[in-house]
Amino acid sequence: KYFNMYQADTQIRVRYAETDQMSYVYYGNYAMYFEVGRVEAMRQIGFSYRKMEEEGVMMPVLESHFRYIKPGKYDEKLTIRTKIPSMPGVKIRFEYEVLNEQGELITEGWTVLAFLKKENHQPTRPPKNLLDLLKPYF
């Protein structure tokens, strides 16, 4: 298994609308792919973003970084590998690898999100159930 981190894979197929004139994934769409990976990684351990927001906590992105290695292409099935490298505090870091159908790394990056109380936008601790779900991986 994985040591000292949580990791999950999710797959997406590149839609025509996500590509540029060369049929390559438009670079700005990787932010959306990272979000899909993040939400699905949380879902796979039994955590619901929607429930967290209903309970008054939101997670805005504070930082994002992308490194483009090779292009993703129209109609290709991409794997978004999402890792949480450390237990979250008031911030949580996600690391991503996007792999093409041949298993080659095409894009990598990371995001940092904060946990904020919806009513006053003040930093808050992560929801206890999220910490409980992540604990076995660290």
Side-chain angles (χ1 to χ4, degrees):
K1 203 68 179 160
Y2 310 108
F3 300 99
N4 300 322
M5 82 167 61
Y6 170 65
Q7 175 176 304
D9 287 358
T10 190
Q11 292 192 315
I12 54 151
R13 187 166 301 276
V14 177
R15 295 174 298 214
Y16 182 76
E18 295 164 359
T19 62
D20 61 18
Q21 290 178 326
M22 298 178 289
S23 293
Y24 291 171
V25 173
Y26 173 68
Y27 79 94
N29 285 321
Y30 286 95
M32 177 184 62
Y33 293 173
F34 284 10
E35 181 187 10
V36 169
R38 195 164 58 237
V39 171
E40 290 304 314
M42 302 292 252
R43 189 187 319 274
Q44 286 178 38
I45 55 165
F47 184 78
S48 165
Y49 256 92
R50 175 188 276 168
K51 190 167 179 287
M52 175 186 69
E53 289 183 350
E54 287 168 357
E55 290 168 1
V57 176
M58 54 188 192
M59 288 175 65
V61 174
L62 300 180
E63 298 176 50
S64 60
H65 176 82
F66 303 84
R67 190 165 78 88
Y68 306 101
I69 301 157
K70 295 179 89 159
K73 298 182 183 109
Y74 169 62
D75 204 39
E76 197 170 31
K77 190 184 280 185
L78 302 179
T79 298
I80 298 133
R81 179 160 293 149
T82 306
K83 299 173 187 177
I84 300 173
S86 56
M87 283 294 283
V90 293
K91 296 179 187 173
I92 184 169
R93 180 182 171 107
F94 293 89
E95 296 176 353
Y96 312 89
E97 294 177 340
V98 181
L99 309 168
N100 64 16
E101 289 180 3
Q102 290 73 46
E104 300 168 314
L105 182 66
I106 64 167
T107 300
E108 63 184 357
W110 48 264
T111 55
V112 175
L113 290 81
F115 293 94
L116 297 183
K117 291 180 187 157
K118 236 180 184 172
E119 75 267 4
N120 59 11
H121 294 203
Q122 291 301 305
T124 187
R125 297 214 15 87
K128 183 182 181 313
N129 68 325
L130 175 59
L131 296 174
D132 291 344
L133 291 166
L134 285 173
K135 208 168 276 164
Y137 296 91
F138 294 92

